[in-house]
């Protein structure tokens, strides 16, 4: 592509402006994510397993024991996931500034 435009024009990595080194930025972002995934793959799988097991259990428990309609409970789960998406970067920034132990104790 001409002018340094990325192969996916609608999506740019953080801090990347159109036409100024976008391939280098994509390469840097890919290397950063690869480093994170290589750090400890079992940590990622444990986190995802815990999340999915707990949400499936909560859905089953809420519909059978709590007698909450399934569609209502799914909407509540979606709201919880959106809250998690919003609060995770905030918690990460606070953990970088004050330490993860303090953030976890306060949360």
């Amino acid at each position: 592509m001409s002018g340094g435009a990325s192969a996916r024009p609608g999506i740019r990595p953080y801090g990347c402006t159109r036409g100024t080194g976008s391939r280098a930025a994509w390469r840097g972002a890919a290397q950063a994510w690869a480093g994170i995934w290589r750090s400890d793959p079992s940590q990622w799988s444990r986190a995802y397993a815990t999340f999915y097991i707990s949400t499936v259990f909560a859905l089953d428990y809420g519909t059978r024991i709590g007698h909450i309609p399934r569609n209502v409970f799914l909407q509540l789960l979606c709201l919880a996931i959106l809250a998690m998406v919003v609060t995770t970067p905030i918690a990460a920034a606070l953990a970088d500034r004050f330490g993860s132990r303090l953030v976890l104790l306060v949360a």
Side-chain angles (χ1 to χ4, degrees), residues 78-92:
C78 286
L79 288 174
I81 291 168
L82 289 175
M84 185 179 73
V85 166
V86 170
T87 58
T88 297
I90 295 168

Side-chain angles (χ1 to χ4, degrees), residues 32-70:
W33 277 107
I36 291 169
W37 281 101
R38 278 193 305 260
S39 63
D40 186 6
S42 65
Q43 181 179 9
W44 287 92
S45 61
R46 284 192 303 264
Y48 282 116
T50 302
F51 172 76
Y52 286 115
I53 290 170
S54 63
T55 54
V56 169
F57 170 77
L59 177 62
D60 185 56
Y61 186 84
T63 55
R64 288 185 191 206
I65 307 301
H67 303 293
I68 300 171
R70 184 178 177 86

